[in-house]
Amino acid sequence: MSFIILTITYWFCEKHLIGSDKWRKLFLILIVTWGGLYFIDGVLTHAVQIQLVVQFIVAVLLGGSLLAHSMLVKAEHKLTALNHALPLCGVVLAMIAVAANVNGIGNLVLLAEQGAITGFVLRTVSIGTLLIAVGLWLMPLLTKSKPVAAMMFLSCVVMGISSITAGLSM
C-alpha cells in the first residue's frame, strides 16, 4: 500500500497538482528505494525454496510493470513503444508465474485430499485473477485502441486481488 501511495503522490507531482519539481524527484527516489528494499526483503524472506523466490520475483516484476504502465498512461506520457512492450512482457511473466505455480498446486492438491482445501482454492483464485489481470492489460493492445486508464486501473485492482490471495494461500 505504501508503494502505491508513493506512486500516486509522484503522479500528483508529475501533473503539477502538488509540490515542485524537487518534490517529484524526491518521490521518484523514494519509490525506487522503497521498491528495491521491498524486493530484497521479499527475496530474503522467501529464500527457503527456489520456487517461492521465483514466484515472488515474477509477481513483483509483473505487478510493478503493470503499475508503472498504468501511471505512465495516467500521466499521459508519449511512450508508444512501452504501450506495446510492457503488456507483452506481462504475458511472458504470467506464463512463468503459472509454470512456477504448477509444483505448488500439486502440493496443495495433496493437502486438499487430506481436507485442507483452503490453500488450493486461494492459489487457484490467485492464478485465475492473475491471468484475468494480464488479459485486461492486453485489451487496449488487442483492440488497437489507446491504453485506457480505466482498463489499466481495473487490471491493477485484479492484480492486487491475485497478490492478496497468493499470499493467503502460502
Side-chain angles (χ1 to χ4, degrees):
M1 283 306 272
S2 59
F3 188 77
I4 292 172
I5 291 168
L6 285 172
T7 306
I8 291 170
T9 307
Y10 168 77
W11 178 79
F12 282 130
C13 291
E14 178 74 27
K15 296 300 276 183
H16 304 290
L17 299 174
I18 61 171
S20 63
D21 194 48
K22 289 180 183 178
W23 281 99
R24 182 188 64 81
K25 289 177 184 177
L26 175 68
F27 278 106
L28 184 59
I29 291 168
L30 283 172
I31 289 168
V32 171
T33 304
W34 192 253
L37 291 173
Y38 173 76
F39 188 79
I40 291 168
D41 178 60
V43 168
L44 293 176
T45 301
H46 295 95
V48 181
Q49 292 181 350
I50 189 69
Q51 174 193 356
L52 294 176
V53 172
V54 170
Q55 288 173 356
F56 177 78
I57 291 171
V58 169
V60 168
L61 290 175
L62 189 58
S65 298
L66 176 59
L67 183 62
H69 191 205
S70 298
M71 290 296 127
L72 289 172
V73 166
K74 189 67 179 159
E76 299 172 358
H77 282 279
K78 307 292 185 212
L79 301 171
T80 306
L82 286 179
N83 288 338
H84 289 86
L86 286 174
L88 294 176
C89 287
V91 170
V92 171
L93 289 170
M95 290 189 300
I96 294 169
V98 170
N101 274 292
V102 168
N103 187 31
I105 289 177
N107 293 338
L108 291 171
V109 167
L110 293 175
L111 289 173
E113 289 174 352
Q114 298 171 0
I117 196 161
T118 306
F120 174 75
V121 171
L122 288 170
R123 182 70 59 93
T124 305
V125 168
S126 173
I127 293 170
T129 52
L130 178 131
L131 294 174
I132 290 168
V134 172
L136 290 170
W137 191 8
L138 279 172
M139 288 306 288
L141 187 63
L142 296 174
T143 60
K144 306 288 187 216
S145 63
K146 288 176 58 178
V148 180
M151 186 65 74
M152 301 294 286
F153 175 75
L154 180 60
S155 183
C156 284
V157 169
V158 174
M159 185 65 73
I161 293 168
S162 175
S163 294
I164 291 169
T165 55
L168 293 174
S169 71
M170 293 186 182

